[in-house]
Every structure is written in C-alpha cells, then in structure tokens.
Amino acid sequence: MLRTVSQLGTLRATTLGTAFSLVQLDDGWQSEWGDWDTPHPTRFPNGIKIIADAVRTAGMTPGLWLAPAALVARSAIAKRHPEWVLRDARGKPVRCGFTAPGIWLHALDVSHPEALAHVAKVVRTVVTEWGYKYLKCDFLHCAAVRGGVRYDPSVGRAECLARLMKVRGGALC
C-alpha cells in the first residue's frame, strides 16, 4: 500500500501534474463493519495512520471511506453494546443494507446518546489522530431506516440522520 501511495505521488508530480490530489482508502481497511476505530489487523498490522502520513508526504490529501451508521452482528461494537443496535418490535436487529460478500448490515441507533458519542469519537480519531482530512461516508441511510424501535422514541428518522450529520462540527462527511 505504501509503495502504491509513493507511485501515485510520483505520477502526480511528473505525469499528471495536479490532475488529482486525493487518495482514498476504501472498504476493507476496518476489522469489521461497525468497528471503525480498529483497522484490519492482518491487512494493516501497523494501522492506517502510516498510510495517511505517506499520502500527505506525497503531496496529496488522505481520504477514508467508512459507514458510521452501519454494523454487523459479529463486530466488537455490537457485542460490547447490543443496546446500540436498532431493533424491531420483536427485539430483532433492523437490517439496513446488504453488501458483498453476502453480508447483512444492521443499523446503529443514533437516538442513543452513547452510540452517537461513539461515532463522534471515531470521527475525532480518524481525523485528528490518524490524519484523514477527507471522509467518504456511506450507508448514512442506516441512521434513518424504517422499522426500528429507537432508544429515544421521541426522535424521528429525519432527526436521527440530522444528529448523525452534525458530528464533526456540522459536517460528518
């Protein structure tokens, strides 16, 4: 990965000029969907800050893909905080999407103040500690998915999405 970043920096400096200025690390960097504060230990044994540093050194902006309102049942966050998973009237996790290779995604209940605070902490870590200045956030609709019994029933779907988007000083992604 670091060699690729170096090659992109060389291309940018020689062939392409300023044709591009962003390098985005996409899906697969995380240990599990939902564990946005834990890089995959096998793919990135040294973490991903080193990649952001290399991208900056090459003269470009480091970007990171994440889906802060989506998680999978086997994620550490779902296991540690099952009360943060949006559930239906029967107590079953609410599905909010499907992704390859055959993974059903569950919704994070952002009406739960601790779940929303967790998202804010993840974003601070990614931006401030790891150095990713561009965030491409995906699956944001999971915050506003239908069919859930929310921790705070007075918070509607639109408000859940609005609260999610206010993370990071008004602009999550």
Side-chain angles (χ1 to χ4, degrees), residues 5-84:
V5 169
S6 177
Q7 291 169 341
L8 288 172
T10 301
L11 280 173
R12 182 174 186 270
T14 58
T15 309
L16 302 173
T18 58
F20 65 95
S21 61
L22 172 72
V23 174
Q24 176 191 305
L25 186 56
D26 212 81
D27 184 18
W29 67 266
Q30 72 282 1
S31 60
E32 288 288 353
W33 278 67
D35 295 335
W36 309 112
D37 55 356
T38 308
H40 193 284
T42 303
R43 294 179 190 133
F44 300 98
N46 298 315
I48 60 173
K49 180 186 184 310
I50 190 170
I51 296 169
D53 293 344
V55 169
R56 254 188 317 287
T57 298
M60 297 172 285
T61 301
L64 188 67
W65 172 94
L66 66 157
L71 66 157
V72 293
R74 67 178 177 258
S75 67
I77 199 70
K79 290 175 183 173
R80 275 195 314 267
H81 295 284
E83 72 278 13
W84 293 358

Side-chain angles (χ1 to χ4, degrees), residues 150-167:
R150 302 195 187 283
Y151 171 82
D152 183 345
S154 72
V155 179
R157 293 169 48 223
E159 178 62 21
C160 283
L161 184 57
R163 287 180 182 188
L164 181 65
M165 296 304 293
K166 287 179 185 170
V167 170

Side-chain angles (χ1 to χ4, degrees), residues 77-163:
I77 199 70
K79 290 175 183 173
R80 275 195 314 267
H81 295 284
E83 72 278 13
W84 293 358
V85 178
L86 186 64
R87 298 184 182 277
D88 64 19
R90 296 176 310 203
K92 301 280 186 194
V94 174
R95 291 179 175 175
C96 64
F98 186 79
T99 189
I103 300 169
W104 279 105
L105 303 176
H106 296 153
L108 184 70
D109 184 357
V110 297
S111 80
H112 196 298
E114 292 175 12
L116 191 60
H118 172 73
V119 172
K121 182 180 177 210
V122 166
V123 170
R124 274 193 309 277
T125 298
V126 166
V127 173
T128 306
E129 294 176 26
W130 297 351
Y132 287 88
K133 301 305 178 193
Y134 171 84
L135 301 180
K136 178 190 172 193
C137 295
D138 210 349
F139 291 86
L140 295 178
H141 70 278
C142 291
V145 70
R146 292 178 193 245
V149 177
R150 302 195 187 283
Y151 171 82
D152 183 345
S154 72
V155 179
R157 293 169 48 223
E159 178 62 21
C160 283
L161 184 57
R163 287 180 182 188

